[in-house]
Amino acid sequence: MFPTQKRRIFMLYSHLAPESLLKRTGVDHPSQNLVKASLSSHQRLSQHQLRLYSSDETSSTSGDIIQELKNHVSGFLPMSLVEKFIKGYRALPPYKTHIAPESTPRAQFLIRLAQEYPFSTEETKLVTSEKGTERNPDNVSISDLYYLFEEIFSKNVTYPRSPNPLPEEPDPLQFLLHLRQDVLLITGDLKKGDRTNGGVALEVSLRSLNLLDASLKSLFSRYFDSSFLKLNRLTMMSPSIIFQRIINKERVHPFRGEGWLDIQQRIGPARRLFYFESECSSLPLAFVQVALFPQIATNMNQILGDTPSLRSEKEATCAIFYSISAAEPGLRGIELGNPLIKQSASQLRRELPNLRQFYTLSPIPGFLSWLEKNLKAKPSGTLTNQECASIEKYFPENKASCTVAEIVKKARATSRSAECDEKSILKQIRQSPHLEDLWRPIFMRLCAQYLLTEKRENYQGFCAMDPVTNFHVRNGARVAQLNWCGDMSTERVRQSFGIMVNYQYEFDHIDARNKAYMENGQVDVDETRMRKWITE
Amino acid sequence: MFPTQKRRIFMLYSHLAPESLLKRTGVDHPSQNLVKASLSSHQRLSQHQLRLYSSDETSSTSGDIIQELKNHVSGFLPMSLVEKFIKGYRALPPYKTHIAPESTPRAQFLIRLAQEYPFSTEETKLVTSEKGTERNPDNVSISDLYYLFEEIFSKNVTYPRSPNPLPEEPDPLQFLLHLRQDVLLITGDLKKGDRTNGGVALEVSLRSLNLLDASLKSLFSRYFDSSFLKLNRLTMMSPSIIFQRIINKERVHPFRGEGWLDIQQRIGPARRLFYFESECSSLPLAFVQVALFPQIATNMNQILGDTPSLRSEKEATCAIFYSISAAEPGLRGIELGNPLIKQSASQLRRELPNLRQFYTLSPIPGFLSWLEKNLKAKPSGTLTNQECASIEKYFPENKASCTVAEIVKKARATSRSAECDEKSILKQIRQSPHLEDLWRPIFMRLCAQYLLTEKRENYQGFCAMDPVTNFHVRNGARVAQLNWCGDMSTERVRQSFGIMVNYQYEFDHIDARNKAYMENGQVDVDETRMRKWITE
């Protein structure tokens, strides 16, 4: 056994999940008769549908594999069984959103695994005992799904580091992440499903999958603890598979074409791309893109354009984090963005001692959708009297709120093909100084209101309405500056009229700001820069 | 000093260039008065044109740098000077083919370096003393250009292996290869130049550059001796910079688009891409692409198409080498293709013991151009009487040789845009069974004649007319099979009417075949497969 492996196993049994994490999972234990009802319904499933193919021509049903797994209640599973499990699962048709998820082979297999396999974890045991439900003691055995995972990971320690892995060799870590991705997709579809027919079985399936999900999430939160993650800088010396995955996963500012030419600008002079790699695998788990400037950047053209932002990196005083992405949907709920930003900032400060300021240049994905709803819900309360007056001076034929609603509707309908269209609503406004003078202060004021005061309910209580705001402010950043036409791409016009926001990370104030937000929902703000957009 | 470094230096002084290499260089020593004439012409050059910019704002003229180099006649150069040299040279405008090459800054610098710097090597000394010319003893000092190169390489031992090299750090090995590439380009252009004006100075420049080229080539032939090269398999774990260079350098079957999607097929199941890496750098120097099949492949669609050639790689009995490329024009004349094929074949045999047969699937770049010339030079001698008769039966309005010349002209004019054109000459022929029955045996017979009997003169005496034939047959391969419509790409239709050839490497017969070819120009052939295309 490798030292790192030992350390992980030690972690596994000594590291209890934080209470907040437990509360978040919200899983419940299915009562015994529900399990039985479900099992009998599953026994009627066609054996053919559940057949698992293993590429070495031995094949077995999922039932066989689950039975084999169950035979190893305490102890390490033989590697051959783990491989059979992975190959078998991969041979099932990939899960795609389905109106009746429970009829797809992967969902059937996962539901059966979730119900039959004694996978309960320390964490889920805590949850269920807190809720006072009873468990069959046979089911609450020491989690040997962990042994399965442990086997999968122990293989992984030697595998992806080898210089020339054969392309056909499975990556077990990736497998587990994709397994959870399937669980999350199936759970989501089941929730949407019709519960009038077979509602009880559906309920059982859902609860079992939630329990499996919680088990995987708890495992991941231990394996992908940031102290086990390595921060890497992407360079042309990095493995191509890392490039490929990052290109495929970048959603904030997607790469053009195949992406390989574009990405070279983003790792070139005065640019950085950092990613988290797990010590168990060379998969990138999350990545952040940074541009270095002599001052704050307010526009995506400054960052993705061809004009160099600096003559020499030594002159950089300001780092702009302009894209933060998770690379694996199976990591949902595992906090990686926060340590990624902080470790990248530390690394940059060590490398470039003149760096003093750390900002983001971020989208505001929910602004127009909120504004649209708000205008419908309270047409007269959305705009100030003064705003109404100045709009109606220009557009006397309608009520001001209707005029705004019309513009928002047009912006939200912007399509990719309209990007070059000179008639797109934002271009129309920008081409007329009068129109821009009219709309700029109104949209900026509304946007500031949306970012700073609008809240939604989540598991923690209340949080900022905008998910990106919630992410950065929870990390301890503050809202620093709003930028009119900060990103003229189709997507950004649809989301926020092209307005972008800089969040600022002041590392001396991070803890205080995080506390103020978590306790009182307070979003801190740079008042000098934002004063003109804040009402009252 | 690193152990590998020591080994290289030992090699440097103990390994004499083979005599054949010396003969090839064909350089001559410029006589003393020519040097003087040239120098005085150079002294009239504008200092501004020769200025070298170093990025840290100190700048000096090329004369200063050459003087500084000369001050270190025996001993290692300070690293700062080497860096200045590299940066200065790179700051000069890149050399592009020019009608008056001697007026471009890089040519001026290289000619001056070649003339003023005492760069003569053991090898060039041998050449010049063989020819009985005299050298100024000051100029024939122990080559300290080697010290310069040694410095450049010694830096290289630590640099490109570091996990995260800064993008702005120069790669000294690449620099030297590009320097020679410039020398070769400039030499080529100078040769084409008008020698009536300033013919003497031109002659001097040419001879000096030839000497510099011979010095660089001799150095490279020692550094890139195949015993120092490492054979690597390209996988998705390989550094992206290797992918990028290979994508840019593949000329035989170019990648589509940005190339990164295409290349994944070529390193996927039943495919291999091997490349030579120098121990001084992680640059790919040459690379070969291989496809695994249960039998010989006769068509590029089998190789680059989406249909898998095998269910499992273990079933492979036949390896098809379908593309061999040098990655650096600066390596001209350094033998890399031969050891690359042989080492790749050994590695494949170790990995897949069922592999028995090794073929290429190769283009015939010179076939139609030879045929065109031949038809012009001896219209009646090119075709057999029987061929003439069958052609004239179909096309009675012209002489047979004119009809063939017309078809060849059309094929040679095939343009990229005509690839989809249903009227392209080859498509016309293939769509009519009668036409195909007429032309197929004629073109195949002519192609066999071209490959097997046509010769041209080179430095070794006579060799096969086709450069690809010469390459493989000199390596000890034989001509195994001709494939009608083996590659329907525009380039191949223009070169050889789409005909492709398999060369076969039988490792038991390689030495004998190489000897028969080198001594008698004999091109060995698989008579069973080729009999029908061979006349008499």
Side-chain angles (χ1 to χ4, degrees):
Chain A
M1 196 181 280
F2 294 80
T4 54
Q5 178 70 2
K6 272 191 196 149
R7 187 149 61 91
R8 271 213 310 286
I9 289 176
F10 171 75
M11 276 293 288
L12 203 61
Y13 294 106
S14 66
H15 177 106
L16 275 174
E19 233 179 76
S20 67
L21 196 74
L22 298 183
K23 282 184 193 145
R24 261 182 257 171
T25 59
V27 290
D28 217 325
H29 177 59
S31 73
Q32 210 51 31
N33 52 347
L34 286 184
V35 170
K36 277 179 193 156
S38 157
L39 272 179
S40 65
S41 88
H42 274 293
Q43 278 151 6
R44 288 186 309 259
L45 285 170
S46 137
Q47 283 290 311
H48 181 73
Q49 275 183 306
L50 278 171
R51 190 169 291 276
L52 288 169
Y53 303 92
S54 115
S55 71
D56 53 347
E57 283 158 52
T58 66
S59 66
S60 55
T61 62
S62 62
D64 292 346
I65 288 188
I66 291 168
Q67 191 53 53
E68 278 189 77
L69 290 175
K70 285 166 88 174
N71 291 344
H72 294 269
V73 171
S74 56
F76 282 80
L77 297 163
M79 202 56 231
S80 59
L81 182 55
V82 174
E83 276 178 1
K84 205 162 157 188
F85 179 72
I86 295 182
K87 280 181 180 169
Y89 187 78
R90 287 209 166 132
L92 295 173
Y95 182 76
K96 286 186 190 110
T97 285
H98 198 283
I99 203 161
E102 65 277 16
S103 71
T104 63
R106 286 204 174 177
Q108 286 176 341
F109 175 73
L110 285 173
I111 291 166
R112 190 152 179 177
L113 177 75
Q115 287 175 344
E116 291 196 27
Y117 191 74
F119 63 83
S120 98
T121 67
E122 296 308 307
E123 180 188 334
T124 50
K125 203 162 65 178
L126 266 174
V127 175
T128 50
S129 64
E130 264 179 355
K131 300 225 171 184
T133 53
E134 284 189 358
R135 285 190 78 102
N136 179 334
D138 288 349
N139 257 8
V140 194
S141 69
I142 191 89
S143 136
D144 45 19
L145 194 61
Y146 271 159
Y147 285 114
L148 170 65
F149 296 153
E150 200 54 53
E151 274 298 332
I152 289 172
F153 277 107
S154 73
K155 181 157 184 256
N156 214 16
V157 171
T158 52
Y159 155 61
R161 301 291 179 178
S162 80
N164 276 337
L166 298 177
E168 54 272 28
E169 231 177 293
D171 179 333
L173 172 61
Q174 199 184 345
F175 170 72
L176 286 183
L177 287 166
H178 289 176
L179 196 79
R180 182 164 181 237
Q181 191 177 342
D182 280 354
V183 170
L184 290 168
L185 282 172
I186 293 164
T187 312
D189 287 345
L190 279 174
K191 277 184 191 154
K192 286 183 242 153
D194 180 9
R195 302 197 188 189
T196 49
N197 268 339
V200 172
L202 208 76
E203 226 31 70
V204 175
S205 302
L206 248 177
R207 286 172 185 220
S208 307
L209 286 178
N210 280 338
L211 216 52
L212 176 60
D213 178 49
S215 169
L216 284 163
K217 187 183 166 190
S218 149
L219 184 89
F220 291 160
S221 71
R222 289 158 197 203
Y223 274 104
F224 299 128
D225 183 279
S226 65
S227 58
F228 284 170
L229 297 178
K230 199 180 144 213
L231 185 76
N232 284 323
R233 175 176 165 190
L234 190 75
T235 74
M236 287 304 282
M237 301 305 283
S238 309
S240 280
I241 196 158
I242 306 278
F243 274 76
Q244 191 191 34
R245 283 171 198 263
I246 286 176
I247 287 169
N248 290 342
K249 299 296 180 177
E250 164 67 341
R251 294 276 177 276
V252 189
H253 302 288
F255 297 101
R256 291 166 302 174
E258 294 176 22
W260 297 81
L261 295 180
D262 258 13
I263 203 171
Q264 289 177 43
Q265 187 265 354
R266 302 201 197 172
I267 62 171
R271 297 289 181 276
R272 295 289 187 279
L273 195 156
F274 294 106
Y275 64 97
F276 264 147
E277 180 180 272
S278 150
E279 71 172 17
C280 336
S281 162
S282 55
L283 281 174
L285 300 171
F287 54 97
V288 61
Q289 298 172 54
V290 192
L292 304 172
F293 278 88
Q295 72 291 314
I296 192 169
T298 57
N299 190 297
M300 281 311 296
N301 285 342
Q302 295 173 284
I303 291 173
L304 299 182
D306 292 331
T307 319
S309 51
L310 288 171
R311 267 175 17 118
S312 152
E313 291 191 347
K314 286 172 199 150
E315 295 168 13
T317 60
C318 188
I320 308 289
F321 292 76
Y322 64 93
S323 175
I324 298 142
S325 304
E328 288 295 337
L331 286 172
R332 189 197 293 174
I334 312 293
E335 180 78 279
L336 293 174
N338 187 5
L340 181 59
I341 292 174
K342 284 165 192 172
Q343 289 188 32
S344 303
S346 301
Q347 181 152 331
L348 282 167
R349 278 196 288 193
R350 279 194 300 275
E351 190 195 335
L352 301 165
N354 288 333
L355 270 187
R356 290 277 175 275
Q357 294 180 301
F358 297 85
Y359 291 97
T360 73
L361 184 56
S362 302
I364 308 163
F367 172 45
L368 287 196
S369 115
W370 162 81
L371 184 55
E372 198 166 41
K373 276 188 211 133
N374 225 42
L375 285 165
K376 252 185 218 155
K378 33 181 179 172
S380 60
T382 305
L383 299 166
T384 65
N385 291 342
Q386 204 189 337
E387 284 168 351
C388 286
S390 47
I391 295 169
E392 282 163 15
K393 217 168 87 184
Y394 258 95
F395 300 97
E397 64 275 18
N398 269 321
K399 280 193 75 174
S401 61
C402 294
T403 309
V404 178
E406 188 60 28
I407 289 180
V408 170
K409 200 177 149 197
K410 276 188 188 163
R412 304 255 297 150
T414 305
S415 69
R416 201 163 294 278
S417 59
E419 199 163 8
C420 318
D421 181 358
E422 282 306 305
K423 286 180 194 157
S424 85
I425 182 66
L426 186 51
K427 288 212 172 124
Q428 269 178 38
I429 290 174
R430 292 201 80 194
Q431 277 161 9
S432 151
H434 296 295
L435 278 182
E436 192 158 17
D437 285 349
L438 170 68
W439 290 119
R440 189 170 184 265
I442 295 173
F443 278 108
M444 295 289 265
R445 201 271 305 161
L446 285 164
C447 190
Q449 177 193 337
Y450 167 72
L451 290 179
L452 300 176
T453 61
E454 296 299 316
K455 297 281 185 281
R456 64 185 157 95
E457 205 174 348
N458 77 345
Y459 60 87
Q460 298 162 321
F462 282 86
C463 71
M465 175 83 80
D466 196 85
V468 179
T469 312
N470 180 47
F471 171 74
H472 288 297
V473 177
R474 205 181 57 211
N475 291 346
R478 67 170 180 173
V479 174
Q481 183 166 300
L482 280 188
N483 305 296
W484 178 249
C485 294
D487 184 352
M488 298 286 280
S489 70
T490 312
E491 193 55 25
R492 235 54 79 190
V493 172
R494 291 160 63 127
Q495 288 177 342
S496 61
F497 225 75
I499 302 174
M500 296 284 274
V501 55
N502 300 112
Y503 298 99
Q504 184 177 15
Y505 282 80
E506 295 179 299
F507 290 100
D508 292 342
H509 300 287
I510 272 185
D511 292 336
R513 284 180 186 148
N514 165 268
K515 196 162 175 268
Y517 181 65
M518 297 308 275
E519 288 178 359
N520 315 315
Q522 189 196 318
V523 176
D524 205 356
V525 63
D526 182 336
E527 290 189 5
T528 321
R529 283 164 160 156
M530 290 289 289
R531 191 182 298 124
K532 55 186 162 186
W533 314 126
I534 301 175
T535 35
E536 284 99 66
Chain B
M1 198 182 277
F2 295 81
T4 54
Q5 178 70 3
K6 271 190 194 146
R7 186 150 61 91
R8 271 210 314 283
I9 289 176
F10 172 75
M11 278 291 289
L12 202 62
Y13 293 107
S14 65
H15 177 109
L16 275 174
E19 232 178 77
S20 65
L21 196 74
L22 297 184
K23 279 184 194 143
R24 257 182 259 171
T25 58
V27 290
D28 217 323
H29 178 60
S31 74
Q32 211 50 31
N33 52 347
L34 285 184
V35 170
K36 277 178 194 154
S38 159
L39 270 179
S40 65
S41 86
H42 275 293
Q43 277 152 4
R44 287 189 307 261
L45 285 171
S46 135
Q47 282 290 314
H48 180 73
Q49 273 182 306
L50 278 171
R51 190 170 290 275
L52 287 168
Y53 302 91
S54 116
S55 71
D56 52 348
E57 282 157 54
T58 65
S59 67
S60 54
T61 64
S62 63
D64 293 345
I65 288 187
I66 292 168
Q67 193 51 53
E68 279 188 77
L69 291 173
K70 284 166 86 173
N71 291 343
H72 294 268
V73 170
S74 56
F76 283 80
L77 298 163
M79 202 55 231
S80 59
L81 182 54
V82 174
E83 276 178 1
K84 205 162 157 188
F85 180 72
I86 296 181
K87 281 184 181 167
Y89 187 78
R90 287 208 166 136
L92 295 174
Y95 181 76
K96 287 186 189 108
T97 285
H98 198 282
I99 204 162
E102 65 279 15
S103 72
T104 64
R106 285 204 175 177
Q108 286 176 342
F109 175 72
L110 286 172
I111 291 167
R112 190 152 180 179
L113 178 75
Q115 289 176 344
E116 291 196 28
Y117 192 74
F119 63 83
S120 99
T121 67
E122 296 309 305
E123 178 188 335
T124 51
K125 203 161 62 179
L126 266 172
V127 174
T128 51
S129 64
E130 265 179 353
K131 301 224 171 183
T133 53
E134 286 189 358
R135 285 191 77 102
N136 180 333
D138 288 346
N139 258 8
V140 195
S141 69
I142 191 90
S143 131
D144 45 18
L145 194 60
Y146 270 158
Y147 285 113
L148 170 64
F149 295 155
E150 201 53 54
E151 274 297 332
I152 288 173
F153 276 107
S154 73
K155 179 154 185 257
N156 215 17
V157 170
T158 53
Y159 154 61
R161 301 289 181 181
S162 79
N164 276 335
L166 297 177
E168 54 273 26
E169 232 178 293
D171 179 333
L173 174 59
Q174 199 185 346
F175 170 73
L176 286 183
L177 288 165
H178 290 175
L179 195 81
R180 181 163 182 238
Q181 190 176 341
D182 281 354
V183 170
L184 290 167
L185 281 172
I186 293 164
T187 311
D189 287 345
L190 279 174
K191 277 182 191 155
K192 286 181 243 155
D194 180 8
R195 303 196 188 190
T196 48
N197 268 339
V200 173
L202 209 74
E203 232 24 77
V204 176
S205 301
L206 249 176
R207 287 171 186 219
S208 307
L209 286 179
N210 280 338
L211 217 52
L212 176 60
D213 178 49
S215 169
L216 283 164
K217 186 182 167 189
S218 148
L219 183 89
F220 291 161
S221 72
R222 291 160 196 200
Y223 274 106
F224 301 128
D225 183 279
S226 64
S227 58
F228 283 170
L229 297 178
K230 201 181 143 212
L231 185 76
N232 284 323
R233 176 177 167 192
L234 191 74
T235 73
M236 287 303 282
M237 301 303 284
S238 308
S240 280
I241 195 156
I242 307 279
F243 274 76
Q244 192 191 34
R245 283 172 198 263
I246 287 176
I247 287 169
N248 290 342
K249 298 297 180 177
E250 165 67 340
R251 294 275 177 278
V252 189
H253 302 288
F255 297 101
R256 290 166 303 175
E258 293 175 22
W260 297 82
L261 295 180
D262 259 14
I263 203 171
Q264 290 178 44
Q265 188 266 352
R266 303 199 196 174
I267 61 171
R271 298 289 179 277
R272 296 287 188 279
L273 195 157
F274 294 106
Y275 64 97
F276 265 149
E277 179 180 272
S278 150
E279 71 172 18
C280 337
S281 162
S282 54
L283 280 174
L285 300 171
F287 54 97
V288 60
Q289 298 171 56
V290 193
L292 304 172
F293 279 87
Q295 72 289 315
I296 191 168
T298 57
N299 189 299
M300 280 311 296
N301 285 343
Q302 294 172 284
I303 290 172
L304 299 182
D306 291 330
T307 320
S309 51
L310 288 169
R311 267 176 15 119
S312 152
E313 292 190 347
K314 287 173 198 149
E315 295 168 14
T317 60
C318 189
I320 309 289
F321 293 76
Y322 64 93
S323 176
I324 299 141
S325 305
E328 288 295 336
L331 286 171
R332 190 198 290 174
I334 311 292
E335 180 76 279
L336 294 174
N338 188 3
L340 181 59
I341 291 174
K342 284 165 190 171
Q343 289 189 32
S344 303
S346 303
Q347 180 151 332
L348 282 167
R349 278 196 288 194
R350 279 194 301 274
E351 191 195 337
L352 301 165
N354 288 334
L355 270 187
R356 290 277 173 277
Q357 295 180 303
F358 296 86
Y359 291 98
T360 73
L361 182 56
S362 302
I364 308 162
F367 172 44
L368 287 197
S369 113
W370 162 82
L371 184 55
E372 198 166 41
K373 275 188 210 132
N374 225 43
L375 285 165
K376 252 185 218 155
K378 32 182 179 171
S380 60
T382 306
L383 299 165
T384 65
N385 293 341
Q386 204 188 336
E387 284 168 350
C388 286
S390 46
I391 295 169
E392 281 163 14
K393 218 170 83 185
Y394 258 95
F395 300 97
E397 65 276 19
N398 269 321
K399 283 193 73 173
S401 62
C402 294
T403 308
V404 178
E406 189 60 30
I407 288 180
V408 170
K409 200 177 149 199
K410 275 188 190 164
R412 302 255 296 151
T414 304
S415 68
R416 200 164 295 277
S417 59
E419 198 162 9
C420 319
D421 181 0
E422 282 306 304
K423 287 178 192 158
S424 84
I425 182 66
L426 186 50
K427 287 212 173 123
Q428 269 178 39
I429 292 174
R430 292 201 79 194
Q431 278 162 8
S432 151
H434 297 295
L435 278 183
E436 192 157 16
D437 286 349
L438 170 68
W439 289 119
R440 189 170 183 266
I442 296 173
F443 277 107
M444 295 288 266
R445 200 272 304 158
L446 286 164
C447 191
Q449 177 192 336
Y450 167 73
L451 290 179
L452 300 175
T453 61
E454 296 300 316
K455 297 281 185 282
R456 64 185 158 95
E457 205 175 349
N458 76 347
Y459 59 89
Q460 298 162 320
F462 282 86
C463 71
M465 176 81 83
D466 195 86
V468 178
T469 312
N470 180 47
F471 171 76
H472 288 297
V473 177
R474 204 180 58 209
N475 292 346
R478 66 170 179 172
V479 174
Q481 183 166 299
L482 279 188
N483 305 295
W484 179 250
C485 293
D487 184 353
M488 298 286 280
S489 70
T490 311
E491 193 55 26
R492 236 53 79 189
V493 171
R494 292 160 61 128
Q495 288 177 342
S496 62
F497 225 73
I499 302 173
M500 297 282 276
V501 56
N502 299 112
Y503 298 99
Q504 184 177 17
Y505 282 81
E506 294 180 298
F507 291 99
D508 292 342
H509 300 286
I510 272 187
D511 292 335
R513 284 182 185 146
N514 165 268
K515 195 161 176 271
Y517 180 66
M518 298 306 276
E519 288 177 1
N520 315 315
Q522 189 196 318
V523 175
D524 205 355
V525 63
D526 181 338
E527 289 189 5
T528 322
R529 283 166 158 154
M530 291 288 291
R531 191 182 299 124
K532 56 185 163 185
W533 315 125
I534 300 174
T535 36
E536 282 99 65

